Amino acid sequence: MGIEIRLERVEGCRNPPAGAFLVDSKWPRGLPRSALAAGHWLPRVMPTDELVAWMRLQPLRWTTFCDIYWADMGNNPARWLPLLKAMEQGELALLHSGEPDEHSPVMALKAFLQQRYRERQAEKAEA
């Protein structure tokens, strides 16, 4: 059993759901700051532009890209713990710009969060 992580494009989103977090590094035009709850903008949760550009040069680098990104995230839990806590409450939507293709940064974030959620649930089951 897992919690669904919804991916929603921020373009045109005027009324985000309660469990929505903006994960882009820049605040989008047209989205009022009051549209999200306090603390629901995480500008440092996505991989760096340099890492994304490196991966985009050769899509075969996807696995290595994920390994590098996830290792960085694992060393910086304050960047993603609010997302995991939202998952544990039952609802998470990631607001992002761009297309969520299979090799997009938001898909890497989604996979990372799903894995952390499964690990946390397994730890709770053992306790």
Side-chain angles (χ1 to χ4, degrees):
M1 179 181 119
I3 298 296
E4 178 186 357
I5 300 173
R6 292 182 318 198
L7 304 178
E8 296 189 19
R9 291 188 51 161
V10 72
E11 293 85 6
C13 181
R14 299 289 178 250
N15 191 17
F21 284 80
L22 176 63
V23 295
D24 285 348
S25 61
K26 295 181 180 148
W27 192 271
R29 295 175 117 195
L31 183 67
R33 299 248 178 191
S34 61
L36 291 176
H40 282 224
W41 177 31
L42 303 176
R44 296 187 55 239
V45 76
M46 296 297 279
T48 65
D49 292 340
E50 294 81 13
L51 183 59
V52 173
W54 173 82
M55 183 269 301
R56 295 263 189 227
L57 288 174
Q58 294 183 11
L60 294 175
R61 294 177 174 169
W62 174 251
T63 302
T64 305
F65 164 82
C66 289
D67 290 343
I68 294 168
Y69 174 46
W70 295 342
D72 179 52
M73 292 287 278
N75 290 327
N76 296 287
R79 289 170 43 195
W80 51 269
L81 275 175
L83 300 173
L84 190 63
K85 289 177 182 175
M87 288 176 73
E88 290 173 338
Q89 293 177 2
E91 182 177 353
L92 178 61
L94 301 177
L95 297 176
H96 63 92
S97 60
E99 292 294 327
D101 64 32
E102 65 180 312
H103 292 135
S104 67
V106 75
M107 292 301 283
L109 174 59
K110 179 180 178 179
F112 174 84
L113 292 170
Q114 289 170 327
Q115 179 62 35
R116 291 297 171 139
Y117 179 82
R118 285 190 296 269
E119 290 170 0
R120 190 168 232 176
Q121 296 307 305
E123 289 170 5
K124 287 180 179 180
E126 290 175 2

